[in-house]
Amino acid sequence: MPTPPKKSPAAKKTAPPRANKVEDKLARLGLRTDIELVLHLPMRYEDETQITTIAAAGFMGGSMVQVEGVVTHCDVQFRPRRQLVVTITDETGPLVMRFLNFYGSQTKQFAEGNRVRVRGELRHGFFGAEMVHPTYKIVVEGAPLPRALTPVYPAGEGVSQTILRKAIAEAMARIDWSDTLPAVHRDALGLEPFEAAVRLLHNPAPEVDEYALSDHSHPAWTRMKFDELLAQQLSLKRAQMSRREKGAAPLATEGALCAGFMRALPFKLTGAQERVLAEIRSDMRAAFPMQRLLQGDVGSGKTIVAALAAAQAIDSGYQAVLMAPTEILAEQHFRKIAQWLAPLGVTIAWLTGGLKKKDKTQAQASIADGSAQLIIGTHAVFQDAVHFARLGLVIVDEQHRFGVGQRLALRNKGMDADSGPNVPHQLMMSATPIPRTLAMTYYADLEVSAIDELPPGRTPIMTRNIDQNRRDEVVERVHAAALEGRQAYWVCPLIEESEALQLQTATETQIALAEALPDLQVGLVHGRMKPAEKQAVMDAFSRGEVHVLVATTVIEVGVDVPNASLMVIEHAERFGLSQLHQLRGRVGRGSAASVCLLLYQSPLGQIARERLGIMRESTDGFEIARRDLQIRGPGEFLGARQSGQAMLRFADLEADQFLVERARDLAQQLLQTDPVTVQAHLARWLGAKEEFLKV
Ligand code: ADP
Ligand code: MG
């Protein structure tokens, strides 16, 4: 934006406050540069190439139509509310237009005899054909129609299509159109040239297939999707390479602690656990930071693998930290791991937000002076007040529950350790399986290890879907299970709009169940309880003193009570499938045959029925995730929305899987052979957005 010369009063007057405003508004849409404007592609197209007669429009069932007629009547009516009512007529009949919000000047536009071209949905009102708030313009007879489809852009408050069209056209006149893809790759992949594709999408020629444009199957769209995916892959791979350039302390010693732990293991590791442990150990020996995701279905035994990795860090003279998303889960880890490692002489610190001031200060001191070798807690372990003496390994359980900001804080924590500008090795764990395409696109900077085998002796969980109005029978089953010495979880409905209501429901459920089952102990655990209260209930449940544990979704992650063999989930239709799978995974941990009862509120819609059907048919987390992805789309997985997702505007991960793979291969090749192309392509497609992808 050129600043006007200082001394000229004329220039002062014409100083561009309006232009600035438009720029600000465009900037709010993320449109700051010419190239961003040029890549702001239409979300759909409108067909203004034809005019329909008013009579024929009446048969077009509410779809968008364009008609043209002459104003025969215009007045402001006050019933049922103030509105401008205009009647136009063509050779086939009249059409009434209603405008509820209007300016006085509009009555002038609609002077009798003026010709109006109108677009809208025609419906049959009390007075015949009518349109409410159509778009319109005053035209002269025979005014030419556009020959091509009219693009409609994603817009925002105060940014009209006209403003966007103008800004985009101006930007198109200014940008450098050179193709960032060398012709040899373009040809090999059968892709359109960049300029032709972009121009076509902004101004489709009359003969362009309207359907291919709107369903994004047109080759011009394919080019855009490919470019976008390529930029994403390049950026992710570059982040990976820059990680490799960073230093990390090699944690190479498998010493006395590792050996002692292996000897004292309470069970034999499964083959899958052995394999992932070897992968993790080898990463930790490197002088650049590990960034590995350990995936394994609920109950597959990730905790022991994490503890073994921590032992290697400690043997190498470094601290390890384990962070869990909830206090309950962190506490479980603490107890279990302390049971394994404390007898071997490891000093473990416990740190959560709920600690008393004095205990917190003490924990922080032991972390800072290095006497704490292993630190377990919630995200409190990464608050500013916490300084590590020699942090070597960060383990994050249920990593998808943490936001990008928290993951970033955690990554940077290693930097302030005495060990110099080293980044700690990172191990992330998740029971939510990521489908392959997602892993490839969002997590190109992650190595992935999968535990694909459950420990022996588990019995499969039988799942049944039951109508909520048969609750009494379900209560009976809970009773019967308790008489056999088994325990049950009873999960209350998810009430997303109100936490208060959710707590109330949980409390009422506990009271109702306690009344219905007077000979049993019915406990309650929810997210708002004090940590100590929560722990007391969990302990009583673990010891078998509580028979039925009523819970909100706080038990979703990680809780491990092998004697529990019955899981009841109310209003299962309100939960995500991965969430149901996680909840269900709380049972089936011992040798007893386990049952999961999904109560639903009838009538169920088609999709809900399909989703609950999947739960009944499959106990395989990967299969469930795959099918859930088909039904729901990818947005919900692993907080994907927060990272790479923001960048994919045109490509669809499921439908365009083929392109994803091509883009990944080409990215690899370009990074090795063609830095100039890499630079040019990233500058065009990502500009300033690249930082997004690095967490
Ligand atoms: P998750 O992967 O869901 O975090 P956990 O680590 O909590 O699973 O393990 C689930 C249960 O299985 C725990 O009680 C754990 O001690 C037990 N376990 C883990 N590995 C084995 C194994 N190899 N053999 C027998 N039991 C195991
Ligand atoms: Mg776990």
Side-chain angles (χ1 to χ4, degrees):
M1 173 66 28
T3 30
K6 258 191 189 150
K7 278 173 198 154
S8 153
K12 224 178 218 166
K13 243 183 238 161
T14 56
R18 283 190 66 93
N20 270 332
K21 263 195 189 150
V22 169
E23 278 189 359
D24 290 349
K25 282 174 183 166
L26 290 173
R28 252 177 270 141
L29 288 180
L31 305 175
R32 290 181 183 81
T33 61
D34 283 344
I35 191 68
E36 280 167 349
L37 278 162
V38 169
L39 294 176
H40 192 65
L41 297 172
M43 57 179 179
R44 61 189 171 82
Y45 297 86
E46 277 179 358
D47 186 356
E48 294 176 358
T49 60
Q50 284 171 40
I51 287 179
T52 312
T53 61
I54 291 172
F59 294 105
M60 293 174 71
S63 55
M64 284 297 264
V65 289
Q66 180 167 252
V67 298
E68 189 174 306
V70 172
V71 177
T72 53
H73 185 82
C74 169
D75 67 7
V76 177
Q77 294 180 1
F78 293 91
R79 257 165 246 257
R81 51 174 285 198
R82 189 165 177 271
Q83 54 183 291
L84 178 65
V85 180
V86 182
T87 309
I88 60 168
T89 311
D90 71 2
E91 65 280 7
T92 65
L95 167 74
V96 174
M97 303 191 283
R98 296 181 187 279
F99 300 90
L100 300 178
N101 304 304
F102 61 95
Y103 302 108
S105 61
Q106 276 176 294
T107 54
K108 290 206 191 80
Q109 288 186 311
F110 293 121
E112 241 172 77
N114 276 359
R115 175 171 288 270
V116 196
R117 195 170 278 172
V118 187
R119 272 183 60 80
E121 288 167 26
L122 187 145
R123 59 175 204 202
H124 295 283
F126 191 67
F127 301 102
E130 65 174 45
M131 282 188 190
V132 178
H133 274 271
T135 55
Y136 69 91
K137 60 185 168 204
I138 309 299
V139 293
V140 294
E141 186 160 12
L145 286 161
R147 290 177 52 241
L149 296 175
T150 310
V152 181
Y153 295 100
E157 207 178 319
V159 185
S160 67
Q161 294 296 320
T162 322
I163 292 177
L164 278 169
R165 262 175 228 155
K166 183 156 168 285
I168 290 168
E170 287 167 4
M172 292 218 295
R174 284 189 298 251
I175 66 156
D176 166 11
W177 283 100
S178 44
D179 204 311
T180 53
L181 277 194
V184 39
H185 299 304
R186 223 165 55 216
D187 294 347
L189 293 160
L191 294 169
E192 301 277 294
F194 177 75
E195 177 168 3
V198 173
R199 288 196 186 277
L200 182 142
L201 293 172
H202 284 298
N203 300 303
E207 65 277 6
V208 171
D209 178 357
E210 190 186 334
Y211 294 100
L213 278 185
S214 42
D215 75 359
H216 286 202
S217 65
H218 193 281
W221 277 120
T222 310
R223 172 64 203 259
M224 295 299 108
K225 295 183 202 178
F226 183 83
D227 274 21
E228 177 182 66
L229 287 165
L230 180 65
Q232 192 196 36
Q233 291 296 310
L234 285 171
S235 174
L236 287 166
K237 287 225 162 66
R238 246 184 18 175
Q240 185 177 29
M241 283 155 57
S242 80
R243 172 166 62 85
R244 289 184 178 230
E245 281 156 17
K246 289 205 187 82
L251 307 176
T253 315
E254 287 175 45
L257 178 58
C258 288
F261 193 5
M262 284 312 262
R263 271 197 305 275
L265 277 190
F267 36 68
K268 189 174 164 332
L269 294 183
T270 62
Q273 284 170 319
E274 298 265 14
R275 178 169 41 76
V276 298
L277 182 62
E279 288 164 356
I280 293 164
R281 291 199 143 144
S282 131
D283 278 6
M284 287 171 60
R285 285 195 285 268
F288 61 87
M290 161 168 80
Q291 192 157 319
R292 189 171 279 278
L293 175 66
L294 175 55
Q295 272 190 14
D297 211 341
V298 280
S300 62
K302 296 183 289 294
T303 316
I304 190 102
V305 174
L308 284 158
Q312 182 170 323
I314 296 165
D315 261 346
S316 306
Y318 282 82
Q319 292 170 303
V321 58
L322 170 59
M323 172 166 86
T326 65
E327 289 223 21
I328 289 194
L329 188 51
E331 174 101 27
Q332 283 226 350
H333 282 323
F334 179 74
R335 283 165 188 249
K336 188 160 245 173
I337 292 173
Q339 197 185 320
W340 293 329
L341 293 183
L344 300 171
V346 177
T347 309
I348 308 179
W350 165 244
L351 184 57
T352 67
L355 277 190
K356 287 205 198 77
K357 186 100 201 279
K358 186 170 131 264
D359 296 336
K360 205 182 271 180
T361 315
Q362 198 183 346
Q364 284 167 354
S366 73
I367 296 169
D369 69 18
S371 57
Q373 296 164 291
L374 176 58
I375 299 94
I376 299 179
T378 56
H379 59 269
V381 298
F382 286 105
Q383 248 112 53
D384 288 342
V386 184
H387 298 283
F388 293 85
R390 283 165 69 76
L391 181 58
L393 173 67
V394 169
I395 303 168
V396 185
D397 197 15
E398 306 292 344
Q399 68 97 18
H400 59 286
R401 303 204 131 211
F402 293 96
V404 172
Q406 285 165 321
R407 300 214 290 263
L408 191 62
L410 158 171
R411 192 185 66 174
N412 293 339
K413 218 38 183 176
M415 313 258 190
D416 62 23
D418 289 345
S419 50
N422 277 340
V423 176
H425 294 277
Q426 264 194 56
L427 178 64
M428 284 156 274
M429 305 199 282
S430 177
T432 305
I434 324 175
R436 210 174 91 82
T437 32
L438 279 185
M440 239 159 62
T441 43
Y442 296 124
Y443 293 94
D445 190 29
L446 271 191
E447 320 289 337
V448 180
S449 291
I451 305 185
D452 51 9
E453 176 186 359
L454 291 179
R458 300 279 168 84
T459 44
I461 305 165
M462 190 188 73
T463 299
R464 286 188 53 206
N465 299 329
I466 299 178
D467 195 317
Q468 190 90 33
N469 67 23
R470 289 169 55 195
R471 210 163 176 271
D472 290 349
E473 289 168 47
V474 174
V475 173
E476 258 318 296
R477 285 190 75 143
V478 171
H479 194 216
L483 291 185
E484 286 170 23
R486 305 268 148 229
Q487 291 167 276
Y489 294 100
W490 188 292
V491 178
C492 295
L494 184 67
I495 304 172
E496 279 184 342
E497 39 304 5
S498 160
E499 199 193 349
L501 208 54
Q502 176 145 350
L503 292 187
Q504 187 192 336
T505 312
T507 314
E508 285 167 9
T509 305
Q510 185 211 8
I511 294 168
L513 284 178
E515 259 169 29
L517 303 165
D519 53 337
L520 302 186
Q521 283 302 317
V522 181
L524 171 65
V525 59
H526 59 69
R528 275 300 172 85
M529 284 163 88
K530 295 216 182 71
E533 293 171 344
K534 233 187 269 183
Q535 196 52 51
V537 178
M538 293 309 296
D539 284 348
F541 190 61
S542 288
R543 286 193 303 266
E545 292 159 15
V546 164
H547 306 100
V548 185
L549 184 62
V550 175
T552 54
T553 48
V554 291
I555 62 154
E556 182 188 340
V557 284
V559 175
D560 188 29
V561 178
N563 193 46
S565 65
L566 179 57
M567 169 66 65
V568 180
I569 303 174
E570 285 198 75
H571 282 286
E573 76 279 1
R574 295 186 192 168
F575 290 86
L577 289 196
S578 293
Q579 212 176 3
L580 286 177
H581 180 65
Q582 292 252 342
L583 284 168
R584 180 170 64 180
R586 300 309 114 211
V587 296
R589 300 193 152 223
S591 50
S594 291
V595 177
C596 174
L597 304 178
L598 301 178
L599 305 194
Y600 63 85
Q601 180 75 58
S602 54
L604 276 185
Q606 174 62 29
I607 289 184
R609 195 171 343 192
E610 224 177 286
R611 296 173 75 244
L612 291 182
I614 295 172
M615 292 308 296
R616 189 182 54 230
E617 284 159 23
S618 180
T619 50
D620 174 346
F622 279 79
E623 171 69 8
I624 290 171
R626 195 183 61 74
R627 295 184 56 181
D628 205 18
L629 180 71
Q630 277 175 354
I631 296 179
R632 282 197 309 176
E636 314 267 333
F637 280 92
L638 289 179
R641 226 178 261 295
Q642 301 164 331
S643 56
Q645 177 85 353
M647 315 217 13
L648 286 185
R649 292 181 289 157
F650 312 126
D652 176 316
L653 290 173
E654 273 287 289
D656 301 320
Q657 183 161 353
F658 177 83
L659 284 179
V660 175
E661 285 170 20
R662 293 292 171 284
R664 186 197 47 185
D665 295 347
L666 184 60
Q668 188 83 40
Q669 191 185 337
L670 290 176
L671 281 167
Q672 278 159 13
T673 59
D674 192 350
V676 176
T677 296
V678 169
Q679 201 52 48
H681 194 77
L682 283 176
R684 172 167 289 169
W685 279 90
L686 295 190
K689 294 195 204 93
E690 203 179 351
E691 265 306 309
F692 251 135
L693 285 171
K694 294 195 177 154
V695 195

